[in-house]
């Protein structure tokens, strides 16, 4: 059996519509997919026969598929398939229209909030990448507690790497 993502079941589509999402939010810029998955450590997931059902979003950048993100609304699990996606809607981060006329990039806590906002803004999938993606961005939030959490994520981490400098020996120069 080939593992793949596909169109959500009728019951899954009905559940999405019952949440009050518009058809546009469910289909644009890409259709919400669904798959059987297993959520792994480090906010990752894999396809799995008999795994739990999850909605799957395509994450694109410059018109090219970058990654897929799985979301299980029952338990709030959110994960990247290949580890390349920072956020749902991440193309808005570098879009000048996101900041036009003193606007700010909207950061949503959950995909539910993001879909309710017609996919305007982002949902962070990999918090450890927040500094790299959002350090200079003007951000907007619906609640103060989540804004404080993202503020902590946006702080630079302390480098843990080690720098080794190779100095050629004098004999090698002779």
């Amino acid at each position: 059996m080939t593992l793949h993502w596909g169109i959500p079941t009728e019951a899954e589509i009905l559940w999405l519509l019952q949440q009050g999402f518009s058809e546009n939010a469910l289909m644009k810029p890409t259709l919400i997919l669904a798959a059987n998955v297993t959520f792994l450590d480090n906010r990752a997931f894999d396809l799995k026969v008999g795994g739990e059902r999850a909605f799957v979003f395509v994450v694109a950048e410059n018109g090219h598929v970058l990654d897929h993100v799985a979301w299980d609304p029952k338990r709030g699990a959110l994960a990247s398939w290949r580890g390349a996606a920072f956020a749902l809607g991440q193309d808005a981060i570098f879009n000048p229209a996101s900041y036009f006329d003193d606007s700010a990039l909207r950061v949503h806590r959950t995909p539910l909030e993001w879909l309710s906002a017609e996919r305007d803004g982002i949902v962070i999938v990999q918090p450890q990448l927040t500094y790299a993606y959002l350090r200079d961005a003007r951000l907007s939030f619906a609640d103060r507690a989540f804004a404080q959490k993202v503020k902590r994520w946006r702080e630079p981490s302390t480098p843990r790497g080690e720098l080794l400098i190779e100095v050629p020996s004098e004999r090698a120069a002779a």
Side-chain angles (χ1 to χ4, degrees), residues 150-167:
V150 173
K151 183 179 178 183
R152 285 190 304 275
W153 292 344
R154 201 161 80 157
E155 293 172 359
S157 62
T158 304
R160 288 179 245 144
E162 191 175 340
L163 298 176
L164 302 175
I165 301 171
E166 292 184 23
V167 179

Side-chain angles (χ1 to χ4, degrees), residues 7-162:
I7 296 171
T9 65
E10 190 173 322
E12 290 166 337
I13 293 170
L14 182 60
W15 182 85
L16 288 167
L17 291 171
Q18 288 172 342
Q19 304 313 302
F21 306 137
S22 72
E23 289 183 21
N24 272 344
L26 302 181
M27 296 188 294
K28 294 180 181 176
T30 59
L31 182 66
I32 295 176
L33 305 171
N36 292 336
V37 305
T38 183
F39 287 91
L40 309 168
D41 293 338
N42 299 326
R43 294 187 171 255
F45 79 93
D46 206 355
L47 299 171
K48 181 177 182 183
V49 173
E52 56 195 291
R53 288 294 286 177
F55 293 108
V56 178
F57 298 92
V58 174
V59 176
E61 213 170 80
N62 298 323
H64 300 285
V65 173
L66 180 66
D67 203 349
H68 291 77
V69 170
W71 169 52
D72 178 357
K74 292 177 191 156
R75 60 185 199 124
L78 191 63
S80 168
W81 183 46
R82 295 183 13 207
F86 162 64
L88 294 174
Q90 74 182 46
D91 54 337
I93 296 169
F94 304 107
N95 183 346
S98 299
Y99 309 98
F100 180 74
D101 198 24
D102 289 329
S103 293
L105 177 66
R106 186 73 166 181
V107 183
H108 301 281
R109 184 186 294 266
T110 68
L112 283 172
E113 292 175 9
W114 181 63
L115 289 168
S116 292
E118 301 285 324
R119 298 191 192 196
D120 177 41
I122 64 169
V123 177
I124 296 172
V125 177
Q126 296 192 66
Q128 75 277 12
L129 299 177
T130 303
Y131 175 75
Y133 278 88
L134 302 179
R135 70 176 168 251
D136 295 323
R138 173 185 272 165
L139 306 176
S140 165
F141 301 88
D143 71 84
R144 187 178 308 273
F146 184 57
Q148 290 301 316
K149 182 183 269 190
V150 173
K151 183 179 178 183
R152 285 190 304 275
W153 292 344
R154 201 161 80 157
E155 293 172 359
S157 62
T158 304
R160 288 179 245 144
E162 191 175 340

